[in-house]
Amino acid sequence: MERTAGKELALAPLQDWGEETEDGAVYSVSLRRQRSQRRSPAEGPGGSQAPSPIANTFLHYRTSKVRVLRAARLERLVGELVFGDREQDPSFMPAFLATYRTFVPTACLLGFLLPPMPPPPPPGVEIKKTAVQDLSFNKNLRAVVSVLGSWLQDHPQDFRDHPAHSDLGSVRTFLGWAAPGSAEAQKAEKLLEDFLEEAEREQEEEPPQVWTDSSEACAEEEEGLMPQGPQLLDFSVDEVAEQLTLIDLELFSKVRLYECLGSVWSQRDRPGAAGASPTVRATVAQFNTVTGCVLGSVLGAPGLAAPQRAQRLEKWIRIAQRCRELRNFSSLRAILSALQSNPIYRLKRSWGAVSREPLSTFRKLSQIFSDENNHLSSREILFQEEATEGSQEEDNTPGSLPSKPPPGPVPYLGTFLTDLVMLDTALPDMLEGDLINFEKRRKEWEILARIQQLQRRCQSYTLSPHPPILAALHAQNQLTEEQSYRLSRVIEPPAASCPSSPRIRRRISLTKRLSAKLAREKSSSPSGSPGDPSSPTSSLCISPSVSPGSPPSSPRSRDAPAGSPPASPGPQGPSTKLPLSLDLPSPRPFALPLGSPRIPLPAQQSSEARVIRVSIDNDHGNLYRSILLTSQDKAPSVVRRALQKHNVPQPWACDYQLFQVLPGDRVLLIPDNANVFYAMSPVAPRDFMLRRKEGTRNTLSVSPS
């Protein structure tokens, strides 16, 4: 299909055309316009250009149809992986390899990919094939070998199956037969060697050093005793910040993309999932360690005078600033979370002794993770950091010495984790006809690809470990939430107000932002159903606060007076340091461009919707789970979905009642047959609680976070 245009120079390079449905697959169809490479009639033999005033008067465009797979059964997805057009759909293979474990195990996928190998012929017997058969067979083998090569290169940990590594053994056997001596076969052999060497190192390593028991450490701190040896704050600001950055970048570089997926990370609390997502849990543990170090060093030794405690606050602010200069947003966020927590925030006399310059620096750094200023949000700054690196690479002119881009950045992983959790909550895994919603996997890959790109950039850091600082980091006493708050009240008993604490604007709640975004999509969508992501201009608002803060009875706010400033500008207390329950502070909402192709949500999700957070009233405290509530959801449906999120068997749903948590320790009972969307209070926080009905036995327990 060709088209000639005179003045039409602003043709869109890609235009939506619709969709096509085949047996077991749904494709989105677009039209791509490209300039045609046709010779002008004025060209002479051999392509020589004859002088002509009208040689370039007309531009020739070639229009081609582009099909992109949106949903399909597993067999079609595997076929697209092997035989799909990589030029038309370059993102299919990386998206598939990064997310396939959400719908098929590795061994099962290999069963689809690896063709049965024929037995060797008897001695002296040669099996002959026609030229067409041989060509077709070899083409199929090359396609499979190419897929395996990309798989081994980008996701080698998928083949870790200690101690047998049976999946990797199947791949090695196939490559040894189909492509002996090839780069792919060598990758498989090298990967097996690495796995075996790593297992040997783990067996030879000494058991990790056991640090002081937390209860004993707390007793020492309450008595004003500090552990022996140099403390973390005894080292220079640069040394501490560099070592924190070194630890963060090493842990972030080892994060497996699959573990970040919302469907994987959100299931970490299920029974038997204690060892799930180990690389992500390692980053969470380090984040909590840094936050605990700040709390322990500031709240430790209650007998310190306010000016001495202010010096510790100032040093942590300088360390945070240095982390910002090193582009380490993970430790930066951890330090700010601790300084903004209520046990430290409420120390008005200590904050009053902080100098003006570090206090100003603290306010500026806090704005990075604030909702109020879009230009200083953590997401935009992270984009700016990446753009700066890209522009420096482009500015290298031929003949000049290439300018070395800055290392990093090391991101705050919690931002990506909660984006993926919210995406998993908002979009279904399967569509009508038992089709795998691959459009959802593409959107997940958009986020995972950024993580992967940042992991590669972290390799440019050149930092060396400093064992004394690392030892001091791990030896720092870690305080529980209750211990931190108790020490804080010992240092400064509750007062009427905290005028000297730094005032930072309160964050905007997740549900208000998400609901406002969905409402805007509903009103502005010119085509498609209200709020339907299938609209070309719509986008899905992914906000990172999945679990709420503590309930009103939390010790974080017990002595907060009515006229006091916000109890915290960010996370509230040490339990929000990035815990495994994903109680994360809320950066500005991230608009994920849905682009093309698109899959509309089910009918009930295309109506007005919002995210609510539901806990279960039990002995484990308030562990919240987020679910998407639509205007068509009745109370029984919400109860069942909430119980499923909390790993409670569905037959017990009739024993629970749904309550909305209201300010002032009040609750609103949602009747059993009520429409929750319209029965809930629109002005109260969208936090809900499940309680067992009177007269039912409490025979179930929910695993705490």
Side-chain angles (χ1 to χ4, degrees):
M1 183 188 305
E2 293 191 0
R3 185 172 299 176
T4 303
K7 297 183 179 180
E8 286 187 79
L9 302 181
L11 292 175
L14 194 68
Q15 290 185 347
D16 294 333
W17 187 257
E19 69 176 33
E20 294 180 356
T21 302
E22 296 181 359
D23 183 28
V26 178
Y27 294 85
S28 68
V29 181
S30 303
L31 297 181
R32 177 177 297 165
R33 292 184 175 88
Q34 296 175 318
R35 287 193 56 175
S36 176
Q37 301 297 324
R38 294 178 56 190
R39 284 196 315 174
S40 169
E43 292 183 8
S48 60
Q49 182 71 36
S52 173
I54 60 171
N56 293 321
T57 301
F58 294 97
L59 296 176
H60 298 278
Y61 286 89
R62 184 166 180 256
T63 302
S64 57
K65 184 174 74 171
V66 178
R67 295 203 320 169
V68 178
L69 191 61
R70 299 171 56 190
R73 295 191 178 94
L74 179 59
E75 295 81 358
R76 294 295 295 268
L77 290 176
V78 176
E80 184 74 13
L81 176 68
V82 177
F83 305 111
D85 190 334
R86 306 278 178 84
E87 294 183 359
Q88 281 202 357
D89 192 2
S91 67
F92 182 87
M93 179 181 289
F96 184 97
L97 294 178
T99 63
Y100 75 89
R101 293 178 65 182
T102 60
F103 52 83
V104 61
T106 300
C108 183
L109 177 59
L110 288 175
F112 279 98
L113 277 177
L114 304 183
M117 292 177 292
V125 178
E126 180 180 358
I127 300 178
K128 295 183 179 180
K129 297 181 181 179
T130 65
V132 174
Q133 289 176 332
D134 189 62
L135 179 62
S136 176
F137 184 73
N138 289 336
K139 182 179 179 181
N140 294 346
L141 285 183
R142 286 195 300 270
V144 174
V145 169
S146 176
V147 170
L148 293 176
S150 299
W151 195 355
L152 291 166
Q153 177 69 30
D154 296 334
H155 305 279
Q157 297 300 321
D158 288 0
F159 300 95
R160 179 188 296 276
D161 183 19
H162 185 75
H165 304 294
S166 56
D167 292 337
L168 182 57
S170 300
V171 173
R172 290 174 56 243
T173 301
F174 171 77
L175 292 176
W177 168 74
S182 64
E184 292 81 4
Q186 295 175 9
K187 287 180 186 176
E189 297 295 336
K190 179 64 167 58
L191 185 59
L192 180 60
E193 294 177 4
D194 294 342
F195 285 164
L196 296 178
E197 291 177 359
E198 184 176 344
E200 293 178 0
R201 287 195 303 268
E202 291 177 354
Q203 293 179 352
E204 296 173 357
E205 286 180 354
E206 297 180 358
Q209 182 178 357
V210 179
W211 304 103
T212 306
D213 180 72
S214 58
S215 60
E216 297 177 358
C218 180
E220 289 181 354
E221 293 228 357
E222 292 185 355
E223 296 173 4
L225 302 176
M226 301 301 294
Q228 300 297 322
Q231 302 300 298
L232 191 61
L233 293 186
D234 293 338
F235 299 94
S236 69
V237 169
D238 288 349
E239 289 176 326
V240 175
E242 288 176 1
Q243 292 306 297
L244 293 179
T245 302
L246 176 62
I247 298 174
D248 288 334
L249 72 90
E250 288 180 347
L251 292 175
F252 176 68
S253 299
K254 295 177 181 178
V255 167
R256 296 179 61 184
L257 299 182
Y258 167 74
E259 295 178 9
C260 299
L261 290 171
S263 59
V264 178
W265 177 241
S266 63
Q267 304 301 316
R268 63 198 174 279
D269 297 319
R270 285 186 178 275
S277 303
T279 62
V280 177
R281 288 178 185 265
T283 65
V284 172
Q286 171 61 17
F287 187 100
N288 292 346
T289 297
V290 175
T291 308
C293 285
V294 179
L295 287 162
S297 62
V298 173
L299 299 176
L304 285 178
Q308 294 174 303
R309 205 174 307 278
Q311 291 178 0
R312 299 190 178 191
L313 292 174
E314 291 179 1
K315 187 155 189 178
W316 277 116
I317 292 172
R318 291 196 297 271
I319 293 173
Q321 174 61 27
R322 181 56 182 151
C323 287
R324 172 66 185 91
E325 295 169 357
L326 290 170
R327 313 212 299 173
N328 178 5
F329 291 92
S330 183
S331 284
L332 170 62
R333 179 61 178 274
I335 296 172
L336 293 177
S337 297
L339 294 177
Q340 295 167 355
S341 66
N342 202 44
I344 292 180
Y345 174 85
R346 62 176 298 278
L347 302 177
K348 62 176 183 178
R349 289 194 293 270
S350 300
W351 283 108
V354 174
S355 303
R356 179 177 301 178
E357 182 178 349
L359 195 59
S360 175
T361 300
F362 174 62
R363 288 194 176 99
K364 292 178 181 177
L365 292 175
S366 298
Q367 287 298 315
I368 292 177
F369 300 101
S370 171
D371 298 307
E372 301 297 333
N373 193 324
N374 292 340
H375 298 288
L376 294 178
S377 68
S378 60
R379 297 179 184 278
E380 290 193 356
I381 288 181
L382 190 59
F383 276 117
Q384 291 170 6
E385 297 286 348
E386 297 178 61
T388 299
E389 181 174 346
S391 63
Q392 289 186 354
E393 295 176 355
E394 294 175 359
D395 290 342
N396 294 331
T397 58
S400 62
L401 293 176
S403 59
K404 185 177 180 180
V410 181
Y412 170 55
L413 186 61
T415 302
F416 298 105
L417 292 178
T418 43
D419 286 350
L420 289 164
V421 169
M422 292 299 298
L423 186 57
D424 181 64
T425 302
L427 299 179
D429 292 329
M430 305 295 293
L431 298 180
E432 185 178 355
D434 292 331
L435 302 183
I436 297 173
N437 185 356
F438 196 73
E439 175 71 1
K440 174 178 179 177
R441 307 308 166 192
R442 291 183 189 272
K443 299 184 196 323
E444 291 175 329
W445 167 242
E446 292 177 9
I447 302 175
L448 296 178
R450 288 201 62 212
I451 298 177
Q452 187 181 71
Q453 186 179 34
L454 290 169
Q455 286 177 322
R456 293 169 179 167
R457 292 179 176 176
C458 283
Q459 298 175 3
S460 58
Y461 278 100
T462 55
L463 299 173
S464 301
H466 191 21
I469 298 180
L470 299 178
L473 175 68
H474 292 291
Q476 177 66 52
N477 293 334
Q478 300 286 318
L479 304 176
T480 66
E481 179 177 2
E482 291 290 344
Q483 293 165 351
S484 300
Y485 198 79
R486 184 168 63 250
L487 283 173
S488 178
R489 290 167 66 93
V490 170
I491 295 169
E492 294 188 23
S497 63
C498 301
S500 300
S501 299
R503 295 177 180 268
I504 304 175
R505 293 181 179 179
R506 186 183 297 272
R507 65 189 181 188
I508 301 175
S509 69
L510 158 74
T511 51
K512 288 183 179 179
R513 288 185 280 109
L514 182 57
S515 299
K517 182 66 176 177
L518 292 173
R520 286 197 299 271
E521 290 178 354
K522 177 182 178 181
S523 61
S524 62
S525 177
S527 61
S529 58
D532 188 351
S534 63
S535 170
T537 60
S538 66
S539 61
L540 177 62
C541 178
I542 303 299
S543 302
S545 181
V546 176
S547 299
S550 289
S553 60
S554 169
R556 304 168 194 171
S557 56
R558 285 177 188 162
D559 62 339
S564 63
S568 167
Q572 306 286 327
S575 67
T576 58
K577 295 176 287 188
L578 181 54
L580 295 182
S581 60
L582 257 185
D583 183 357
L584 306 176
S586 305
R588 185 177 62 87
F590 178 36
L592 278 178
L594 299 189
S596 176
R598 293 171 296 275
I599 290 182
L601 298 179
Q604 70 166 24
Q605 292 190 13
S606 64
S607 60
E608 190 172 6
R610 61 196 61 184
V611 173
I612 63 172
R613 304 174 292 190
V614 186
S615 67
I616 295 184
D617 188 15
N618 54 30
D619 297 334
H620 298 297
N622 284 28
L623 174 63
Y624 281 87
R625 289 288 181 257
S626 297
I627 62 175
L628 188 67
L629 176 69
T630 73
S631 59
Q632 302 180 17
D633 284 333
K634 297 291 185 69
S637 171
V638 174
V639 170
R640 284 193 299 270
R641 289 160 54 199
L643 291 176
Q644 182 180 8
K645 286 278 189 175
H646 283 276
N647 309 320
V648 175
Q650 299 299 302
W652 297 91
C654 60
D655 292 342
Y656 286 87
Q657 286 182 308
L658 182 66
F659 293 83
Q660 183 180 11
V661 180
L662 304 178
D665 293 333
R666 297 177 299 132
V667 294
L668 172 65
L669 172 62
I670 306 296
D672 288 342
N673 294 324
N675 185 308
V676 180
F677 188 90
Y678 297 108
M680 63 185 291
S681 172
V683 295
R686 296 185 178 94
D687 297 338
F688 288 77
M689 176 174 56
L690 294 178
R691 284 181 179 172
R692 295 186 67 89
K693 298 177 181 178
E694 295 183 2
T696 59
R697 292 182 303 167
N698 191 6
T699 57
L700 298 177
S701 62
V702 182
S703 58
S705 177

